[in-house]
Amino acid sequence: MAPKSGNSVPRRSPAGLTAAARDSSQRHSRLATLPLAAALAVVALTYWSVDIVSPALPEIKEDLGLSAAGAGLVFSFLFLGRLLGNFPATYFLERSGAPVAAAGGGLLLAAGSAMALVAPGSEFLLVARMVQGAGISLVVNAGLRSILVARPGRGIAMTYFGIAATFGGVFGLQIGGALTESSGWRSIFVLSSTIGIVVAALGLSFSRSHGTSNSAPTKDQARSPVPAVPIRELAAPLVINFMVFANYSIWVALPLYAERTFGATPNSTANLLMVITIVHLLAAMPVGTLIARIGSETVLVMGMLVSLIGTVSVLAAPGLLWMGVPLVLYGAGQVAAVNAGGDIVLQRGNASNKAIGYVRLSSDFGLVIGPIVAGAMADRLGYGAPFAVLPVVMATTAIATAIGLIVRPRRLRRSFL
């Protein structure tokens, strides 16, 4: 018997996309987008400026007289700016296209970095970080839209995006640690400002050479718009994606824990975080293949469980070198969960600009709340506390995904067949 009207399972193409998501991607490709190589470049450059701050957090904390929670704010206010910037970024991207959005974001990133460079205290630095974040939001949305148009298959866009972001993170961590040791933490914002100018120049160059539209819609396309997906139907995936990204508060907890417990220098901290970044890079393609074969929901559950084991094992490490082993597990599990979580929202949101905005919104919300909570836990309960609490969040995420996105939908499908 055919499924009843209104409750049918979305039709999928051989590549794994729902028909609506595939059509949406084709319709949105009429807006100006960056070529794939340029989109990957701007994403990599932008994440270079994101991850460059992590190795400098202990020095910023000491220089400005901050608590661990204050250091967490320095990290999370960038993502607060990204969170707030997602709303205008989606609007701007819809009307101006990806090249113009990337150019505007690059200019904001450069301005925010210049403000951070001359910040006299923590309050001004936090404002500067928000400006940086708003600029990054524009660039990241533009980059992800361009990648999704160029590579719309299930799991592919998030894999390409993750690889580009990870390449940027590699440079950001290594150069951030080296610059902080040699020239102080303010020097990292000189480089971030330069990166913003380069991103703006790239966006402007493609805005002028590619115009504002790639193709005109046909009459059939104009008469048959892809139906919008109400946000209530994406509520569960968005909450789960938020919880996945809240686990990235380890990027605040780890530098503070390593410095307090083992006396780690900025370079040593950068090397520890580099373990996670390299694993992200190596695991990205296998994760993308796994998503295509067994589905994003199953991959997300598997990733959270592996992350859980790695995170709780950090506390058992007797020294800096030994911490690398659990961080390998954490990195592998987290990249699986991140790519799967983003793919779930994109596919269920018909690959629209709003779906991209929802991915970034839920991600950045997790990146704002997670570091603040991790810093507060470190102040009140000790620097090892986040590594005991985060596994609880990971277990909850895995259970919520298994029940809400795998078991329950299967039962609903069976009931309507």
Side-chain angles (χ1 to χ4, degrees):
M1 182 182 296
K4 294 181 182 179
S5 175
N7 296 292
S8 60
V9 180
R11 178 170 53 88
R12 292 194 176 274
S13 68
L17 276 168
T18 63
R22 185 179 67 253
D23 294 342
S24 177
S25 180
Q26 291 170 352
R27 287 172 58 81
H28 280 92
S29 69
R30 296 193 301 274
L31 290 171
T33 56
L34 294 163
L36 180 60
L40 295 173
V42 298
V43 170
L45 286 168
T46 303
Y47 274 84
W48 185 338
S49 67
V50 170
D51 291 338
I52 201 172
V53 174
S54 292
L57 280 177
E59 185 168 314
I60 294 173
K61 174 178 175 290
E62 182 179 353
D63 188 41
L64 299 181
L66 303 175
S67 62
L73 288 176
V74 171
F75 186 85
S76 65
F77 259 57
L78 177 94
F79 299 101
L80 179 59
R82 278 178 37 170
L83 176 68
L84 298 176
N86 274 309
F87 297 102
T90 302
Y91 179 88
F92 195 55
L93 182 61
E94 189 76 48
R95 283 152 183 78
S96 302
V100 175
L107 292 176
L108 275 177
L109 172 59
S113 301
M115 291 170 62
L117 172 63
V118 299
S122 59
E123 293 83 1
F124 194 88
L125 179 59
L126 294 179
V127 174
R129 294 286 282 165
M130 287 186 66
V131 175
Q132 279 188 301
I136 289 170
S137 178
L138 279 165
V139 179
V140 168
N141 276 274
L144 184 53
R145 160 50 54 201
S146 300
I147 295 169
L148 186 58
V149 167
R151 296 290 186 272
R154 184 167 193 183
I156 298 176
M158 288 304 300
T159 298
Y160 273 74
F161 181 85
I163 290 173
T166 303
F167 265 114
V170 169
F171 288 103
L173 290 174
Q174 286 300 301
I175 294 178
L179 279 176
T180 302
E181 282 203 12
S182 63
S183 306
W185 63 267
R186 292 182 188 273
S187 62
I188 65 178
F189 293 110
V190 176
L191 181 56
S192 293
S193 187
T194 305
I195 288 171
I197 293 170
V198 172
V199 170
L202 276 171
L204 285 174
S205 67
F206 286 104
S207 173
R208 291 171 180 172
S209 61
H210 287 76
T212 58
S213 178
N214 292 332
S215 62
T218 65
K219 290 182 179 180
D220 288 340
Q221 287 173 326
R223 292 172 182 171
S224 304
V226 175
V229 177
I231 191 171
R232 65 179 180 274
E233 294 186 14
L234 295 174
L238 289 174
V239 170
I240 288 168
N241 199 49
F242 157 76
M243 295 174 72
V244 168
F245 274 85
N247 294 319
Y248 268 123
S249 56
I250 196 174
W251 286 71
V252 170
L254 186 65
L256 299 176
Y257 176 77
E259 186 210 24
R260 176 62 63 92
T261 307
F262 302 113
T265 65
N267 252 339
S268 300
T269 300
N271 289 333
L272 282 177
L273 295 173
M274 181 66 71
V275 172
I276 302 172
T277 305
I278 290 175
V279 172
H280 273 26
L281 187 60
L282 295 177
M285 290 303 292
V287 164
T289 301
L290 197 61
I291 287 173
R293 289 182 177 177
I294 67 175
S296 301
E297 296 80 3
T298 303
V299 171
L300 197 152
V301 173
M302 293 167 57
M304 281 290 91
L305 295 178
V306 173
S307 264
L308 186 158
I309 296 170
T311 303
V312 76
S313 299
V314 167
L315 296 175
L320 282 176
L321 289 177
W322 286 101
M323 287 178 70
V325 177
L327 292 180
V328 168
L329 293 174
Y330 168 83
Q334 194 68 8
V335 73
V338 164
N339 287 2
D343 185 65
I344 291 169
V345 179
L346 288 177
Q347 300 304 324
R348 296 189 180 207
N350 289 340
S352 65
N353 283 333
K354 284 188 177 181
I356 292 173
Y358 290 152
V359 170
R360 304 316 314 162
L361 184 69
S362 56
S363 302
D364 291 340
F365 192 43
L367 289 167
V368 169
I369 300 299
I372 294 174
V373 174
M377 281 193 295
D379 280 332
R380 289 174 173 264
L381 305 174
Y383 283 69
F387 299 95
V389 175
L390 283 174
V392 177
V393 178
M394 294 170 182
T396 303
T397 305
I399 293 169
T401 303
I403 295 175
L405 301 185
I406 299 177
V407 176
R408 187 168 176 268
R410 285 176 181 171
R411 289 178 178 173
L412 287 174
R413 284 198 294 269
R414 285 198 298 267
S415 68
F416 288 106
L417 289 177

